[in-house]
Amino acid sequence: QLQLQESGPGLVKPSETLSLTCTVSGGSISSSSYYWGWIRQPPGKGLEWIGSIYYSGSTYYNPSLKSRVTISVDTSKNQFSLKLSSVTAADTAVYYCARLRRRGYYMDVWGKGTTVTVSS
Amino acid sequence: QSALTQPRSVSGSPGQSVTISCTGTSSDVGGYNYVSWYQQHPGKAPKLMIYDVSKRPSGVPDRFSGSKSGNTASLTISGLQAEDEADYYCCSYAGSYTVFGGGTKLTVL
């Protein structure tokens, strides 16, 4: 059964770069049927799609975050990663990684999420 | 891009039916049959309930159904049960990116 696990620092200072990794187990990240994505949820607020990546490296970003976001993939480690630069308190959120069906663009498997707080 | 518009809250009694709307534009909901719905209980990750407007993943009860008309998609939950109380989010492909609705809190009275 496919599982996704987010990992990374739970505390990031303002103006620094947030870095998270999602490890995929129970399946291959190199499948042609899926994208791999990041979604976040600020405390008490709704979901926000951050971006997605295909195993080949093609990326798709939320236009409102595009200037600060980089998503990369490491097929040898079955992992993909998120970097969000110049963070502020507004970037404090639970960050989820998820598998997206390439046809339909829906998220059918989610990680449990990891909380990232931006504070000095 | 703007988030899709959902009512902030809906409620219903056990056994009743409720419908949650999700309004977008011709660039997202109206332009593609790629609307999905997610259920989220407090402190938990979202769970896929509907994809491709009206399809149910394996294991999702047939009490959950989806539809779309123009720029508005809808999730209907019939035969409400206590465990259906949760937040629900719609989501649509928008041609190179994905956009969520603001979320709807369903209260089972």
Side-chain angles (χ1 to χ4, degrees):
Chain A
Q1 181 180 356
L2 190 86
Q3 292 186 319
L4 286 73
Q5 178 68 58
E6 305 89 351
S7 59
L11 181 64
V12 181
K13 290 183 168 56
S15 80
E16 295 189 344
T17 296
L18 178 160
S19 296
L20 296 174
T21 296
C22 182
T23 300
V24 179
S25 59
S28 174
I29 202 169
S30 299
S31 170
S32 61
S33 299
Y34 306 107
Y35 293 114
W36 305 90
W38 290 96
I39 301 96
R40 71 180 182 178
Q41 185 171 33
K45 296 188 178 181
L47 301 170
E48 180 180 33
W49 180 75
I50 299 171
S52 305
I53 191 165
Y54 192 52
Y55 77 92
S56 64
S58 299
T59 52
Y60 307 89
Y61 297 139
N62 184 326
S64 66
L65 297 170
K66 188 173 183 177
S67 63
R68 298 195 292 130
V69 172
T70 302
I71 297 176
S72 59
V73 63
D74 186 335
T75 55
S76 67
K77 294 182 178 179
N78 230 30
Q79 295 176 334
F80 61 105
S81 298
L82 168 70
K83 290 188 185 300
L84 181 66
S85 64
S86 305
V87 297
T88 69
D91 296 309
T92 293
V94 176
Y95 285 77
Y96 296 99
C97 60
R99 185 180 78 173
L100 288 79
R101 288 277 181 165
R102 192 175 175 203
R103 186 206 164 280
Y105 304 94
Y106 56 90
M107 290 137 276
D108 63 350
V109 181
W110 294 68
K112 292 183 178 181
T114 188
T115 299
V116 178
T117 301
V118 178
S119 175
S120 56
Chain B
Q1 84 291 7
S2 299
L4 307 176
T5 301
Q6 297 180 233
R8 294 187 74 94
S9 64
V10 297
S11 62
S13 300
Q16 289 186 333
S17 295
V18 295
T19 297
I20 300 171
S21 61
C22 170
T23 301
T25 69
S26 58
S27 296
D28 38 62
V29 174
Y32 307 91
N33 287 322
Y34 292 149
V35 175
S36 51
W37 289 88
Y38 303 86
Q39 177 192 65
Q40 187 180 37
H41 287 109
K44 300 294 188 181
K47 174 187 175 184
L48 177 68
M49 304 301 285
I50 295 287
Y51 67 96
D52 290 357
V53 176
S54 60
K55 298 177 181 177
R56 275 188 315 276
S58 173
V60 173
D62 60 5
R63 303 184 294 103
F64 291 83
S65 62
S67 62
K68 190 186 84 166
S69 177
N71 296 337
T72 298
S74 298
L75 173 71
T76 297
I77 309 170
S78 58
L80 269 178
Q81 298 182 3
E83 59 262 36
D84 298 333
E85 183 162 298
D87 293 326
Y88 291 84
Y89 293 91
C90 62
C91 182
S92 176
Y93 177 66
S96 82
Y97 66 91
T98 299
V99 60
F100 282 99
T104 299
K105 181 176 180 58
L106 168 63
T107 300
V108 180
L109 301 171

